[in-house]
Amino acid sequence: MPFLMRKYSVRKVINKHTNKELHTMNFEKSFGYIDTKKTAQWFEHEEGGKFLIAPLGNPKQVEENLKIISSTATEVEQTLYEAKMQSCTILSRSVLLDWDEVTNEDGTKRLYTPEAGLEVLYHFDEFRDWVIKKSTELVQSKEERKGKIVKN
């Protein structure tokens, strides 16, 4: 079961007796969001379509990794097919979160589901690499922002 935490907001709190400001903590500001969609961004692919992508290493991805590791803990060896399938499953459930302006071969709108994402990620290596690249860019930009905050 995933860890659930209530949202806390930053607010100025003054002690009535001492008239001094109390220090409050904003867990989301300090440690990041638990909700993966809050850290995700929409990207347009050069071939068309818009894709909601979350940063690599997000809490949902860690959770999906642990599920798969615990379910395959007794297996020592995996085939290349199985490893690729597991990797794409994790990506479709925790990194590629949604899409827009994606159609089927007959031109009908294709809605995003983790299963549809898995199918596309598994069969189209260049697209999977693009999703991973964008997800990595989100991590790097977050680290750059943290660096600027620390310097200031």
Side-chain angles (χ1 to χ4, degrees):
M1 174 176 253
F3 173 76
L4 299 175
M5 183 173 76
R6 293 174 54 186
K7 294 182 182 180
Y8 295 92
S9 61
V10 176
R11 57 190 173 105
K12 192 173 183 179
V13 178
I14 306 293
N15 185 317
K16 287 192 273 186
H17 303 289
T18 63
N19 212 22
K20 291 184 180 180
E21 184 177 344
L22 300 174
H23 297 280
T24 60
M25 177 167 219
N26 180 328
F27 285 95
E28 290 180 343
K29 184 176 180 184
S30 299
F31 302 108
Y33 292 103
I34 295 172
D35 182 0
T36 305
K37 287 196 175 187
K38 285 188 177 182
T39 59
Q41 288 184 13
W42 285 96
F43 292 94
E44 287 189 45
H45 193 276
E46 61 188 27
E47 300 290 325
K50 296 176 185 175
F51 302 89
L52 184 61
I53 298 174
L56 283 178
N58 67 66
K60 180 69 175 166
Q61 185 181 12
V62 172
E63 182 183 322
E64 291 296 330
N65 279 333
L66 291 173
K67 282 182 193 175
I68 287 180
I69 288 169
S70 64
S71 69
T72 61
T74 57
E75 298 176 23
V76 178
E77 294 182 22
Q78 283 186 321
T79 65
L80 185 56
Y81 166 82
E82 291 168 330
K84 183 178 178 182
M85 183 62 74
Q86 284 183 354
S87 173
C88 291
T89 299
I90 291 168
L91 289 173
S92 72
R93 292 179 183 170
S94 61
V95 175
L96 179 60
L97 304 177
D98 200 359
W99 61 39
D100 192 27
E101 300 176 13
V102 174
T103 59
N104 292 310
E105 286 183 49
D106 63 2
T108 58
K109 184 175 181 175
R110 184 167 192 181
L111 298 176
Y112 184 82
T113 63
E115 294 76 22
L118 170 60
E119 182 181 342
V120 171
L121 290 165
Y122 185 82
H123 292 289
F124 299 98
D125 294 343
E126 287 182 23
F127 177 73
R128 183 183 64 249
D129 293 345
W130 179 81
V131 169
I132 291 170
K133 178 183 174 195
K134 293 300 179 186
S135 183
T136 303
E137 288 174 7
L138 288 174
V139 173
Q140 291 168 343
S141 68
K142 179 181 176 184
E143 293 302 319
E144 289 171 4
R145 284 192 308 272
K146 274 187 179 177
K148 286 179 184 176
I149 291 170
V150 170
K151 288 179 185 176
N152 296 331

